[in-house]
Structure formats: structure tokens, C-alpha cells
Amino acid sequence: MTFSFVKDALAQRRQDNLLRRRNLIRTIEDQQIEVGGRRFLNFSSNDYLGLNNHPQINRALEEGAKRFGASSSSSSLVTGYGYAHQKLEETICQWLNKERCLLFSSGFSANLGSLQTIKNNGVSLFLDKLSHASLIDGARLSSKKDDIKVNRFKHNNVAHLRTLLQASSNDKLVVTESIFSMDGDISPLKEIANAAQQAHAKVFIDDAHGIGVLGEQGQGAASFIDTDITMGTFGKAIATQGAFVACDDSLFEYLINFSREYIYSTAISPATAWATIQSIELIKNEPWRREKIKDLSQVFKNELDSSISLLPTDGSIHAIVIGDEEKTLTVSKQLAEAGFWLTAIRPPTVPKGTSRLRVTICENHNVKDIIRLAKEINKALV
Ligand SMILES: Cc1ncc(COP(=O)(O)O)c(C=O)c1O
């Protein structure tokens, strides 16, 4: 038995070349994976710094499980908040020079749990047009003040942001990403912070793809501006799982009292929290991982045909926009035949007509493989 909409919606997706399927992935080592009995080099992973499976992080995970258990067994406000969580929060506050920090079980819930709670108090939100789904949903989910509009400014367009800010007399929060998840470009953080300051607005940065990757010690957006609120995920460069929101003391107190995602959800695993502290230590002390991403990205750019342009970035994500959904799938299959795993990114993840290959260059790729990949992409697209 199933609802009729299920069949209809899936048939439509199939017809539009937008149907999604999961693949069973077995990681062999570094970025080598096995899918359906075949080996591929993975260029779709978010393990930007190559820290997944790092022996020191794995050891910390094991030690954390022995000392504190695999589960926190409760939400943070009941009995789920322990020493490992406290230490991780302190580590993040020192790293990013923030007063306070609270942990969520994912970046998605951190964005929902903070934006929804803030907007409920009559704060107008100003989101970049290309904001991640979790930011959009967080901004839309509001139980009380549905009359307060969510403003969207054109992608990275500070002049448009200024115009929208000027038109609002409410309390205001500007929301953007440090590195955009599907395009890889970096937002003009300083200009955005200036525009916000002049309009007496606060700034929220989703640092999902910048944390660990940008800045001398991998502090992400906090290396460039003094954000009011930073959201960072652990599941990408930090290579564990969960997320944090860092802010000042008063907002921290407010969120732990009013954020429904925080209050009514089990605290992250203490073993994971302990492993995350170890990962952050490596990130702070091993700048060569960030340098290697830049060097390999430069090789990739040099090797691509001049007709294929990449947006400038210091991050790992490089979007090659193809446009048509069917063609993007075909190119992705062609690359798979050559041994490269690159998931075709299609609507609704990206706007219609902008389907793309999202190439992530990670610390544990090597020059030879990057050159081979660029050659195959040239062959498929030029
Ligand atoms: C910009 C951005 N924010 C938030 C998230 C959600 O983070 P998580 O995967 O930890 O839920 C993602 C994940 O893809 C993201 O790209």
C-alpha cells in the first residue's frame, strides 16, 4: 500500500532526469571508494582536509567511548551534557575567539534551531539567494511572526543587500555562507559585515564549507570578520559529525532556553565530541593541509581547457556548470567509466538549468589524479 502521490512524484522525477538513488559506498583508503564492485577515485566527498579515518581521531573516538560512552542518552538540558561536550565547546570558543558555543546533532538542525528561534522574535532575516536548504527552512519555520518576510539578496550582491536593509526598520540579521556549498565561491565577508554594521544588523555565517579550510588555523569566516553568530558543521572538513553555533553569552543563554532543536533533541555522542576536539587540534596545527588544497586546485584549473571556467576560491569546491540535467548525468557516467566518482548535482539542489559537476579537491588527492581527472573532463565537455 502506498499513497498515489508517491508513485506520481517519483515518475515525474524519473521523467525529468531528477530521480535520486543511493549508492552503497565502501571506502578503501583516502579518496578511493568501491561502488558496485568497481573502484573509483572520489571527487564528491566533503572530507576536504583528508582527516576522515585519521588514526589520532579514531583513537580519540575509542577513548571517548571508553570514558564517556557512545551515547549521551539524553538532551543537553536533562542529563546529556557532559565533560566531553564542555571541552569541545571550550575548544571551539578559544579557536574562534567567541564567548560561547552550543552543539547540535547536525548543521541542518543548528541552522533550523538558531534562525527559527531568532526570527520568532520579530527579527527580519536577509539571506543570500543561493543559501543552503537548511538556512531557508530555518528562516521560513516560524510559529509566531509569519508576517515577517524573509528577504533574499542577489547572490553575493552587497549593493542589493544594502538596499534591502535600508527598507527595514525591524531588528535585522544578515545570513550567508562563507564558501557556497554548490558553487564554491567565497562570499565578500568584509563588505557584508560593513553593510550590516551600517544598517545596525547582525551577521550569521554558515561556515559549513569554510571551517577548517579558510584561515591560518582553519577558523573559517572568523579569520576575516568578527561574526555575531557562526554555524559550523563537524561532518565536512572536521571529519566527525554534528555542528556548533558560536555566539555571545546572551544569545547563547537565549538559544539554550528557546531553541526547540536544541532543547528537544539528544545531545551529540560524547565519543564524537571527544574525537572532534582531536580533529580541531590537527586542523589548527597542520596548515599544510589547507595549502595542499590550494596547490591541487591550481593544478586542476591549469589543466582544464580554457573554455571551462572555475570561480576563484581558496576552498575545495569547484563547480563546473553544464546546464542540462540529462547531459550532466551523461558526463557523470562517462567520468565513472574512466574511474572518477562525481555525483551529478541537479535541481532542486541547484536552480533549474544549472546542473553541474561539483568537484571537491581534497588534501588526500594527488597531482597525477587531478591531471587525469581534468583530462577526462576536457574530453567529455570540449
Ligand atoms: C551550507 C551548508 N549548511 C548546512 C549544511 C548541513 O550540515 P550537516 O550536513 O551537518 O547537517 C550543509 C550540508 O551540506 C551545507 O552545505
Side-chain angles (χ1 to χ4, degrees):
M1 196 291 276
T2 189
F3 295 107
S4 62
F5 72 83
V6 171
K7 256 167 75 184
D8 296 348
L10 290 176
Q12 187 63 50
R13 281 239 153 146
R14 195 171 290 111
Q15 191 185 327
D16 295 342
N17 287 307
L18 295 177
L19 191 71
R20 275 120 164 106
R21 289 198 182 286
R22 297 181 307 176
N23 291 291
L24 189 66
I25 308 281
R26 188 166 81 89
T27 300
I28 296 162
E29 75 172 320
D30 292 337
Q31 297 294 350
Q32 280 186 65
I33 55 172
E34 194 181 278
V35 190
R38 278 197 59 195
R39 287 201 176 194
F40 300 91
L41 256 181
N42 188 1
F43 278 93
S44 286
S45 142
N46 295 328
D47 180 20
Y48 305 133
L49 297 171
L51 286 172
N52 191 18
N53 233 348
H54 190 289
Q56 278 171 254
I57 300 175
N58 288 355
R59 263 200 303 279
L61 186 69
E62 212 176 305
E63 186 193 303
K66 277 195 193 126
R67 282 182 66 178
F68 314 109
S71 174
S72 62
S73 306
S74 175
S75 62
S76 298
L77 297 188
V78 182
T79 57
Y81 179 69
Y83 182 70
H85 303 100
Q86 185 189 42
K87 271 281 162 222
L88 174 56
E89 288 179 358
E90 283 172 10
T91 303
I92 293 168
C93 286
Q94 277 166 12
W95 188 31
L96 305 190
N97 193 23
K98 281 269 168 271
E99 282 178 10
R100 300 301 292 267
C101 163
L102 64 163
L103 307 175
F104 288 83
S105 52
S106 74
F108 206 106
S109 69
N111 280 341
L112 291 190
S114 41
L115 292 189
Q116 176 190 9
T117 315
I118 291 168
K119 192 188 167 211
N120 270 345
N121 287 284
V123 177
S124 284
L125 304 183
F126 297 78
L127 270 67
D128 187 284
K129 197 77 193 157
L130 296 188
S131 293
H132 188 261
S134 54
L135 295 170
I136 297 168
D137 288 1
R140 281 187 186 149
L141 269 177
S142 175
S143 55
K144 291 186 202 147
K145 302 265 181 181
D146 284 337
D147 51 318
I148 298 211
K149 198 166 122 248
V150 177
N151 302 275
R152 306 290 298 274
F153 60 95
K154 290 180 200 156
H155 179 51
N156 282 344
N157 188 325
V158 182
H160 189 218
L161 170 63
R162 281 182 190 278
T163 309
L164 294 177
L165 286 170
Q166 271 161 17
S168 166
S169 54
N170 293 334
D171 283 341
K172 299 180 261 291
L173 180 67
V174 177
V175 179
T176 193
E177 298 176 27
S178 54
I179 295 183
F180 280 84
S181 56
M182 293 299 138
D183 291 70
D185 52 337
I186 300 181
S187 65
L189 291 168
K190 288 195 175 130
E191 288 91 327
I192 283 177
N194 279 341
Q197 195 185 22
Q198 282 163 14
H200 306 290
K202 309 275 180 221
V203 177
F204 178 110
I205 301 292
D206 177 328
D207 222 350
H209 303 278
I211 198 80
V213 174
L214 299 176
E216 248 174 62
Q217 294 192 334
Q219 307 98 318
S223 329
F224 306 105
I225 56 166
D226 192 9
T227 61
D228 295 291
I229 311 166
T230 297
M231 192 294 295
T233 53
F234 301 142
K236 303 184 193 299
I238 298 177
T240 61
Q241 177 129 33
F244 69 85
V245 169
C247 54
D248 69 10
D249 189 53
S250 58
L251 186 65
F252 165 84
E253 287 294 344
Y254 187 79
L255 289 174
I256 67 167
N257 277 282
F258 292 99
S259 168
R260 294 167 67 81
E261 275 75 5
Y262 189 73
I263 299 167
Y264 300 110
S265 186
T266 303
I268 71 166
S269 152
T272 304
W274 203 244
T276 304
I277 297 170
Q278 179 58 59
S279 176
I280 293 173
E281 288 310 318
L282 290 167
I283 289 172
K284 285 198 288 193
N285 296 320
E286 298 188 347
W288 56 266
R289 293 181 185 273
R290 289 177 277 287
E291 290 310 311
K292 193 158 169 214
I293 291 172
K294 284 191 226 168
D295 293 347
L296 290 177
S297 294
Q298 192 56 50
V299 172
F300 184 54
K301 205 169 184 161
N302 295 346
E303 294 295 321
L304 281 178
D305 187 87
S306 57
S307 63
I308 303 171
S309 59
L310 297 181
L311 292 171
T313 184
D314 281 342
S316 280
I317 304 165
H318 304 278
I320 298 178
V321 178
I322 295 173
D324 177 67
E325 284 74 55
E326 199 175 351
K327 177 148 190 224
T328 309
L329 280 174
T330 308
V331 173
S332 166
K333 281 186 194 138
Q334 215 171 315
L335 291 168
E337 284 305 311
F340 298 103
W341 193 265
L342 265 161
T343 310
I345 306 286
R346 293 163 289 156
T349 308
V350 292
K352 199 156 172 40
T354 71
S355 288
R356 65 196 64 190
L357 300 174
R358 174 183 179 268
V359 183
T360 54
I361 305 241
C362 302
E363 179 280 321
N364 51 1
H365 286 126
N366 65 45
V367 172
K368 208 172 92 237
D369 293 332
I370 300 277
I371 293 173
R372 281 202 305 123
L373 172 68
K375 282 207 165 75
E376 288 300 330
I377 292 177
N378 291 342
K379 208 176 355 164
L381 290 179
V382 182

